[in-house]
């Protein structure tokens, strides 16, 4: 059964959502992200995807206080990403409550450092972020497109021992247009053992079932929750029981 992971994206300490990574499109949903996280936990969810959007744009972690508040308020397994670029960023995230850290841009710009972190912390605590636009990896809050193609990028890190990948189709993110099921199916065909986390486009519980049928291990859900497209109690009953 696919694991459903609610998402909280943070700007200035607030829970917000963007469309296709456009910061000008931000919509605020809560000034108390920890209360949202507590609600998710009360409904039976065990995992949370927390994104520091300020960090992604600033190229260093910014919203550690939000991470710490959520870790204190809940027992959720939090994976944290956004602006993780240095040893200090990784250590700080783990020290204040992250169970896992998602690393995207640095894996493109400094593969040797990411490989070092993989050895230091182990593949169970690091998630490779692979955010793709038109088949190419995007970095730095999706403001820059690299020249690296998605599948070869993933294959190089699978060979290094990466087991967890968060893959976002940027064209679908925040658009409520349905996930890229075909893309995720092709990635799993390339590596069936990968703990693949889908992200982007989920608009209904039917999308979750489609990803489950495709064999996707986990999916991050954000805007569909906040816009009322998905009933969390129904999702929890269907997927967490």
């Amino acid at each position: 059964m696919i694991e459903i992971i609610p998402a909280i994206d943070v700007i200035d300490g607030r829970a917000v959502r963007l469309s296709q990574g456009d910061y000008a499109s931000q919509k605020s949903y809560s000034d108390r992200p920890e209360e949202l996280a507590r609600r998710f936990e009360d409904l039976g969810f065990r995992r949370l995807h927390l994104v520091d959007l300020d960090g992604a744009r600033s190229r260093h972690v910014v919203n550690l206080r939000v991470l710490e508040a959520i870790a204190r308020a809940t027992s959720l397994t939090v994976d944290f990403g956004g602006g993780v670029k240095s040893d200090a960023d990784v250590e700080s995230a783990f020290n204040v409550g992250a169970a896992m850290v998602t690393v995207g841009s640095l894996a493109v710009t400094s593969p040797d450092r990411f490989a070092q972190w993989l050895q230091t912390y182990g593949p169970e605590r690091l998630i490779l972020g692979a955010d793709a636009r038109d088949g190419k990896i995007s970095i730095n809050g999706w403001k820059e497109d690299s020249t690296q193609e998605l599948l070869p990028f993933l294959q190089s890190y699978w060979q290094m021992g990466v087991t967890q990948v968060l893959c976002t189709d940027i064209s679908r993110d925040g658009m409520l247009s349905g996930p890229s099921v075909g893309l995720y199916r092709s990635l799993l065909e390339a590596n069936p053992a990968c703990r693949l986390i889908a992200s982007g486009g989920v608009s209904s519980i039917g999308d979750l079932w489609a990803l489950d049928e495709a064999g996707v291990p986990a999916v991050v859900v954000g805007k569909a929750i906040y816009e009322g497209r998905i009933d969390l109690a129904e999702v929890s009953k269907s997927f967490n029981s």
Side-chain angles (χ1 to χ4, degrees):
M1 181 69 71
I2 192 170
E3 181 179 16
I4 312 301
I5 307 173
I8 296 177
D9 294 353
V10 180
I11 290 179
D12 293 332
R14 297 174 290 107
V16 305
R17 295 301 297 177
L18 308 181
S19 296
Q20 296 182 323
D22 181 4
Y23 283 74
S25 72
Q26 68 176 274
K27 183 175 181 180
S28 180
Y29 291 95
S30 176
D31 292 331
R32 300 292 298 276
E34 68 274 17
E35 292 182 359
L36 282 177
R38 192 180 295 116
R39 178 187 173 211
F40 296 149
E41 184 176 42
D42 289 345
L43 285 168
F45 294 93
R46 298 177 293 276
R47 177 93 172 260
L48 177 70
H49 179 58
L50 181 63
V51 182
D52 181 355
L53 290 176
D54 290 314
R57 183 164 50 179
S58 303
R59 304 188 186 188
H60 61 83
V61 171
V62 174
N63 285 290
L64 282 174
R65 288 185 179 180
V66 175
L67 169 59
E68 185 173 23
I70 289 173
R72 288 181 174 178
T74 74
S75 59
L76 291 167
T77 297
V78 180
D79 70 77
F80 176 81
V84 179
K85 297 289 199 301
S86 68
D87 295 348
D89 287 333
V90 177
E91 286 293 333
S92 296
F94 285 142
N95 287 341
V96 301
M100 291 169 276
V101 167
T102 299
V103 181
S105 299
L106 181 131
V108 175
T109 60
S110 302
D112 290 343
R113 177 170 291 183
F114 183 80
Q116 179 185 353
W117 289 351
L118 195 63
Q119 290 184 345
T120 301
Y121 301 106
E124 69 281 356
R125 301 196 73 189
L126 287 178
I127 301 171
L128 176 62
D131 303 329
R133 178 168 28 225
D134 298 326
K136 300 288 182 64
I137 299 293
S138 290
I139 60 175
N140 296 325
W142 302 349
K143 299 302 180 186
E144 301 175 36
D145 292 331
S146 77
T147 59
Q148 297 207 40
E149 296 184 0
L150 176 60
L151 186 54
F153 174 76
L154 294 180
Q155 288 173 328
S156 67
Y157 277 112
W158 287 334
Q159 292 173 359
M160 289 186 192
V162 165
T163 59
Q164 302 184 87
V165 172
L166 172 65
C167 183
T168 302
D169 181 344
I170 296 172
S171 69
R172 306 291 183 104
D173 187 74
M175 302 306 291
L176 300 172
S177 58
S180 296
V181 178
L183 170 65
Y184 301 126
R185 186 181 286 114
S186 69
L187 296 181
L188 287 170
E189 287 174 355
N191 184 358
C194 177
R195 175 71 177 174
L196 180 64
I197 306 166
S199 176
V202 171
S203 63
S204 68
I205 195 168
D207 289 336
L208 301 179
W209 285 118
L211 289 166
D212 182 59
E213 184 178 351
V216 177
V219 57
V220 167
V221 184
K223 195 168 188 177
I225 293 173
Y226 300 107
E227 295 292 320
R229 299 291 192 95
I230 286 179
D231 185 301
L232 283 180
E234 180 185 0
V235 169
S236 182
K237 182 179 179 180
S238 300
F239 294 94
N240 292 340
S241 58

